[in-house]
Each structure stands twice: as C-alpha cells, then as structure tokens.
C-alpha cells in the first residue's frame, strides 16, 4: 500500500457572485503570469549583458518583486494565485534549459483570447460536498461552490486547478490516497497501438468507434463555417454572436469526442492492470510520425500518448511492470517466426509496401514464407520482450 495522487475532474456550478470571482481569478492568474514573465525576461537579459550569473532571475526574486509592487486592487484577490503562477513560471523556465524536451522553448505570454482560462489554489477545501476557496481579507460576498460528477471523494486535497471553458467551469481535484497493490496473476501481455485500434493477444479494442464518425463530421462542418467567417470578416469575425455560438458548438463536440475516447482508454487500461503483471508496449515517436501526410490525422485521433500516460501511472499504482520497447525496436518489420528484419524497399509502411504491392495490414516474410496479419506479427514481437 502506497500514497498516490488521484485526480477527480468535476463540473462546477457557481452562483452569479462566485462566477464573477472565478472570472476575476482567471484574469488575475494571467496578469500575474504575464507580469512575472516580463520581469523575468528583463532580469535574464541584464544577467546576459553583464555576464553575471548571480543576477539571473529566480521564482523567489520575481515573486518578491511583484509582491512589493502590488496595486490596491490586487489585495481583493487571493494571494495564492500570484504565488502559484510564479512557481509555475519558474518550472517553465527550468524546462527552457532542457533542450531535449519535445516542447522546448521560452515560456510565452498568456492571451485573454485563449478559449481556456484558469488558475490554481492550494487553499481549497471540500466542505459539505461543496468546494470552498480561500477568501481574501475584506471580501463580504462569498459562497461555497457546488459541483457535479464527483464520487468517492476522499484523501488529502492538494493543489486544485480551476478553469473556464466555453462558459462552463471545471475543477481538477487531486487527492493523495492510499492505493492497494493488485494481486499477482502471473500473466503477461503486449499491446500494439495502431490507427483506430489497440491490438493484444486476446483481441482488439477500437479507439475510433463508429459513433465518433457523426461527431467528426459535425466538427469538420463547424470548422469550415468558422474559417469562412474569418476569411469574410477578418478579425471582426470573432466578435460576432454567430461566430461565438458556432465555436461553442465546435468545443462541445470536441469535448464529447474526448469523453468517449477517454472512457475507452480508462476501461482498457484498468482491464490490463487487473489481469496482467507484465505489459509491453511501443515507445513511439508520435510527433515525428504525424509529420507524414499518411494517416497523420488518424494518428492524432488515436490517442497513443494518452494511452501510454494512463497505463504508466496505473502500473505504478498497482505494482505492475510496464515494458517500453525501444523506439527503434522493429516490432513491425521483424518476422515473429524466423526473426528476419525487413530493410530498405522491403519495409512495411503505414500504407503498405509499394515494391511488393502489399496492403497496410499484411505482413509477408520473403525469407521463410510466413504470411500473417501485420498487427498480429507486431504483438508477437512485443511479447518476445517479456
């Protein structure tokens, strides 16, 4: 039994007063981030010009400077909003010096036009099944926030993230809970991720089921409508009521797609950690694969990264072993019967093999003559790692 963070996402239902409070805190978080980033950039440039590392900024220096120069109106808002914004800014700047990260780069300024706005607090509490935020000094109108979609809330509540999207309010409630390890089964399996489905020895799980087709068709329709409005009216298009309504419909359908796919991945990963002790999957370079025009949209929609993330933390929770195949492990190119690895023009790609005229789901070994499904062959090769 160990302590783990378990996050519960809930839909908030604030009254009109608390809606204004949440909106103000979202704006204040963005203000603190932008002010802190501007100050950080200036301090960093000065340290480079003078060549003095002691002048380099830190989260503590930037925070103290902003606190010392607070305006009167800032005292009407939670002080923790500023503290946590600068703390996150410091982490972002630390990542700037790690060029190996996939999204490497300097922290960027936040825009008020971004559809999703939010803030963090470490002073929130759950009182009588409602969310209570820390109340600043001198504020009279204050109320607890009821929420929907929560079940079995228990544990020590940590830093809460609250955000507004499409006129609705959400909160991510991380609880530190005691997790009991799953009983050992002595079984092992491998999962081969593909566009639209996951394959494993016992069957296949679809990540792009048929009920998503209608949603993606509507998404495509709304995207075209918004694009035409922007072409016709330029920047003024985003201020029109019809544009806002259409964008809200687009965000609604995107959220529905995400809910359906997240449900599939959560159930599948739970089944894996319940039934198997050792699980092998591929460590794919998804971003590099998406640079090809072949099935790039399908790759993005198949949620390879989310599947790996969820399976990884569940294996850590329940004491199961996750084996990540090397990124260059030829699970698709290797013959699972004779071990021959296809190279050059013989390789099997996302669209099959042009030289031999094979389809994308076929694997034919020209050394031993084996003929099998491409996904079945990949699963067998991954099982060989266990």
């Amino acid at each position: 039994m160990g302590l783990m963070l378990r996050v519960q996402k809930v839909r908030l239902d604030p009254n009109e007063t608390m809606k204004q409070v949440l909106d103000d805190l979202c704006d204040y978080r963005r203000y603190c981030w932008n002010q802190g980033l501007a100050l950080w950039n200036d301090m960093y440039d000065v340290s480079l010009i003078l060549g003095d590392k002691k002048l380099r900024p830190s989260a503590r220096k930037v925070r103290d400077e902003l606190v010392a120069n607070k305006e009167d109106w800032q005292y009407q808002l939670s002080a923790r909003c500023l503290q946590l914004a600068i703390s996150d800014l410091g982490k972002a700047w630390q990542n700037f010096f790690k060029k190996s990260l996939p999204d490497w780069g300097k922290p960027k300024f936040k825009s008020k036009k971004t559809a999703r706005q939010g803030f963090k607090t470490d002073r929130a509490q759950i009182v009588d099944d409602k969310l209570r935020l820390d109340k600043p000094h001198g504020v009279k109108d204050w109320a607890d926030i009821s929420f929907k979609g929560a079940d079995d809330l228990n544990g020590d509540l940590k830093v809460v993230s609250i955000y507004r999207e499409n006129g609705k309010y959400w909160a991510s409630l991380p609880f530190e809970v005691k997790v009991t390890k799953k009983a050992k089964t002595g079984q092992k399996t491998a999962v081969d991720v593909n566009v639209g489905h996951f394959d494993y020895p016992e069957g296949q799980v679809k990540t792009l089921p048929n009920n998503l087709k209608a949603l993606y068709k509507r998404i495509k329709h709304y995207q075209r409508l918004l694009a035409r409005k922007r072409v016709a009216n330029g920047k003024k298009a985003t201020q029109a009521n019809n544009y806002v309504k259409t964008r809200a419909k687009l965000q609604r359908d995107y959220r529905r797609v995400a809910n359906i796919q997240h449900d599939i991945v959560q159930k599948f990963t739970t089944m894996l950690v319940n039934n198997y002790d050792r699980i092998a999957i591929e460590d794919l370079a998804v971003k590099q694969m998406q640079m090809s025009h072949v099935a790039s949209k399908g790759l993005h929609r198949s949620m390879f990264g989310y599947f790996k993330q969820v399976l990884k933390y569940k294996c850590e929770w329940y004491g199961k072993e996750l084996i990540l195949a090397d990124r260059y492990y030829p699970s698709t190119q290797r013959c699972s019967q004779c071990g021959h690895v296809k190279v050059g023009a013989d390789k099997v790609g996302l669209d099959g093999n042009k030289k031999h005229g094979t389809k994308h789901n076929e694997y034919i070994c020209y050394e031993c003559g084996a003929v099998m499904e491409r996904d079945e062959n990949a699963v067998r090769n991954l099982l060989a790692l266990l």
Side-chain angles (χ1 to χ4, degrees):
M1 182 178 293
L3 292 176
M4 296 289 180
L5 278 180
R6 178 169 288 171
V7 180
Q8 178 76 40
K9 179 181 175 181
V10 298
R11 166 87 177 275
L12 299 179
D13 187 21
N15 58 26
E16 292 301 321
T17 300
M18 295 309 295
K19 280 183 181 180
Q20 186 61 49
V21 170
L22 296 180
D23 290 342
D24 291 342
L25 287 171
C26 289
D27 293 339
Y28 187 46
R29 158 83 180 197
R30 186 181 65 251
Y31 171 84
C32 294
W33 176 281
N34 290 341
Q35 290 290 106
L37 181 55
L39 179 60
W40 200 301
N41 288 338
D42 292 341
M43 296 172 70
Y44 183 71
D45 292 340
V46 170
S47 69
L48 291 180
I49 294 172
L50 300 179
D52 189 352
K53 292 184 178 180
K54 294 183 180 180
L55 296 177
R56 284 191 175 180
S58 66
R60 180 182 59 81
K61 291 180 181 179
V62 174
R63 181 199 62 203
D64 292 346
E65 184 71 20
L66 292 181
V67 171
N69 295 292
K70 264 190 172 183
E71 301 288 345
D72 292 341
W73 61 268
Q74 291 181 256
Y75 291 97
Q76 300 297 317
L77 299 165
S78 172
R80 299 305 300 164
C81 190
L82 184 150
Q83 306 279 353
L84 293 173
I86 303 305
S87 176
D88 289 344
L89 178 60
K91 295 176 183 176
W93 261 96
Q94 288 178 2
N95 293 335
F96 169 63
F97 297 101
K98 300 176 182 178
K99 294 187 178 182
S100 60
L101 294 177
D103 296 326
W104 173 80
K106 275 189 175 183
K108 298 180 180 179
F109 290 96
K110 306 292 185 183
S111 172
K112 64 180 180 180
K113 296 181 180 179
T114 305
R116 177 167 169 167
Q117 303 283 345
F119 67 95
K120 292 182 179 180
T121 178
D122 55 0
R123 300 286 177 84
Q125 296 177 341
I126 303 296
V127 180
D128 297 331
D129 295 330
K130 293 184 178 182
L131 182 65
R132 177 175 295 176
L133 301 180
D134 52 319
K135 177 179 164 183
H137 296 294
V139 177
K140 296 182 179 180
D141 294 332
W142 204 260
D144 295 341
I145 304 173
S146 58
F147 53 84
K148 306 174 184 177
D151 52 351
D152 299 329
L153 292 179
N154 55 63
D156 186 16
L157 185 62
K158 298 298 182 180
V159 179
V160 176
S161 297
I162 299 175
Y163 61 93
R164 179 189 70 234
E165 188 174 22
N166 193 23
K168 297 179 175 59
Y169 300 87
W170 306 83
S172 293
L173 308 177
F175 291 93
E176 189 175 56
V177 298
K178 294 181 179 179
V179 179
T180 305
K181 304 294 184 183
K182 296 284 186 181
K184 298 295 183 180
T185 63
Q187 302 296 317
K188 60 184 181 180
T189 190
V191 181
D192 179 50
V193 293
N194 295 280
V195 176
H197 56 89
F198 298 147
D199 291 276
Y200 68 115
E202 284 69 32
Q204 185 182 92
V205 175
K206 290 186 177 181
T207 55
L208 295 174
N210 293 331
N211 58 340
L212 291 185
K213 291 182 179 179
L215 285 173
Y216 276 125
K217 190 175 181 180
R218 285 214 303 266
I219 286 173
K220 185 177 180 180
H221 172 66
Y222 293 142
Q223 286 175 332
R224 285 182 172 177
L225 287 180
L226 294 177
R228 288 170 183 166
K229 291 179 184 296
R230 288 194 297 269
V231 170
N233 302 318
K235 294 183 178 180
K236 294 182 179 179
T238 58
Q239 302 173 1
N241 290 333
N242 286 339
Y243 186 94
V244 174
K245 291 179 181 178
T246 305
R247 185 175 60 187
K249 293 177 182 178
L250 175 64
Q251 293 172 344
R252 176 201 62 194
D253 285 344
Y254 266 127
R255 188 164 54 251
R256 287 177 177 174
V257 168
N259 290 340
I260 292 172
Q261 289 189 302
H262 287 182
D263 182 65
I264 293 172
V265 172
Q266 290 286 347
K267 290 179 179 178
F268 180 50
T269 51
T270 298
M271 184 275 296
L272 290 174
V273 297
N274 284 338
N275 298 337
Y276 303 98
D277 293 340
R278 304 184 72 199
I279 306 166
I281 63 173
E282 293 177 288
D283 185 17
L284 298 176
V286 180
K287 287 195 174 182
Q288 296 179 13
M289 295 169 65
Q290 288 179 351
M291 293 177 70
S292 170
H293 70 281
V294 179
S296 59
K297 185 176 291 186
L299 286 168
H300 177 72
R301 293 176 174 177
S302 296
M303 306 187 73
F304 293 171
Y306 181 72
F307 168 72
K308 175 184 171 183
Q309 175 189 3
V310 173
L311 185 58
K312 185 177 180 180
Y313 76 69
K314 286 189 179 181
C315 287
E316 292 177 356
W317 278 5
Y318 301 118
K320 301 304 175 79
E321 185 178 1
L322 178 63
I323 309 297
L324 288 177
D326 185 82
R327 185 164 293 181
Y328 301 102
Y329 179 70
S331 60
T332 302
Q333 310 302 333
R334 185 192 298 274
C335 177
S336 59
Q337 295 189 13
C338 70
H340 173 71
V341 179
K342 294 179 179 290
V343 294
D346 292 334
K347 277 189 174 183
V348 181
L350 292 174
D351 53 352
N353 183 275
K354 295 181 179 180
K355 177 181 176 181
H356 301 284
T358 57
K359 298 180 180 180
H360 71 282
N361 61 336
E362 295 178 336
Y363 185 90
I364 302 176
C365 179
Y366 300 104
E367 291 293 319
C368 65
V371 179
M372 65 192 89
E373 285 285 327
R374 167 183 170 169
D375 300 334
E376 179 185 350
N377 177 65
V379 170
R380 290 178 181 177
N381 285 325
L382 290 172
L383 279 173
L385 296 174
L386 300 174

